[in-house]
């Protein structure tokens, strides 16, 4: 039987580790979970999750740099939404798994 193992290149390894780093933080998990239900401004995210706006902005910057969230501008307000269906699927699967146990 032929081995299916394929070594990871450095770029892939870095992206995977950064994605799991993003999902390892409870605040980022809460933000991504909220964004799975729609589009929200920083103020709306902060209010719904009882977080400081500065905390939300900091975490959104981290998530945006990884291309896990995106935004659109309407006037002076930025509205954020998720930007990676695969990562969102992993998160939602993990949440379901945790709730079942």
């Amino acid at each position: 039987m032929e081995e299916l193992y394929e070594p990871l290149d450095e770029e892939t390894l870095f992206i995977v580790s950064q994605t799991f780093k993003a999902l390892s933080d409870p605040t980022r998990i809460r933000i991504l979970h909220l964004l799975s239900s729609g589009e929200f401004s920083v103020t709306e995210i902060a209010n719904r999750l009882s977080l400081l706006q500065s905390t939300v902005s900091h975490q959104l910057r981290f998530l945006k740099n990884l291309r896990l969230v995106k935004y659109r501008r309407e006037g002076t307000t930025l509205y954020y939404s998720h930007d990676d269906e695969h990562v969102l699927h992993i998160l939602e699967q993990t949440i379901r798994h945790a709730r079942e146990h």
Side-chain angles (χ1 to χ4, degrees):
M1 185 158 134
E2 189 173 321
E3 188 173 317
L4 298 176
Y5 173 77
E6 183 180 334
L8 297 171
D9 61 77
E10 289 301 314
E11 182 180 0
T12 301
L13 188 59
F14 178 75
I15 292 168
V16 170
S17 68
Q18 290 299 296
T19 300
F20 278 102
K21 180 179 178 179
L23 295 176
S24 71
D25 180 86
T27 301
R28 290 191 289 264
I29 290 170
R30 292 175 68 209
I31 291 170
L32 285 170
H33 183 62
L34 176 62
L35 293 178
S36 72
S37 68
E39 182 181 71
F40 299 92
S41 69
V42 173
T43 302
E44 290 169 332
I45 295 168
N47 289 342
R48 284 177 178 249
L49 300 180
S50 299
L51 296 169
L52 296 174
Q53 285 190 22
S54 60
T55 300
V56 172
S57 294
H58 173 75
Q59 298 300 347
L60 286 170
R61 195 172 317 113
F62 183 90
L63 294 168
K64 185 179 172 303
N65 288 339
L66 290 174
R67 298 187 195 132
L68 299 180
V69 301
K70 61 185 175 185
Y71 69 86
R72 70 174 180 84
R73 182 181 301 273
E74 191 173 296
T76 59
T77 304
L78 300 179
Y79 290 92
Y80 287 85
S81 59
H82 70 85
D83 195 24
D84 191 318
E85 286 291 333
H86 295 101
V87 171
L88 197 61
H89 183 70
I90 291 168
L91 176 62
E92 295 305 323
Q93 268 191 318
T94 306
I95 290 169
R96 275 194 308 275
H97 179 75
R99 286 178 172 166
E100 291 172 359
H101 287 91

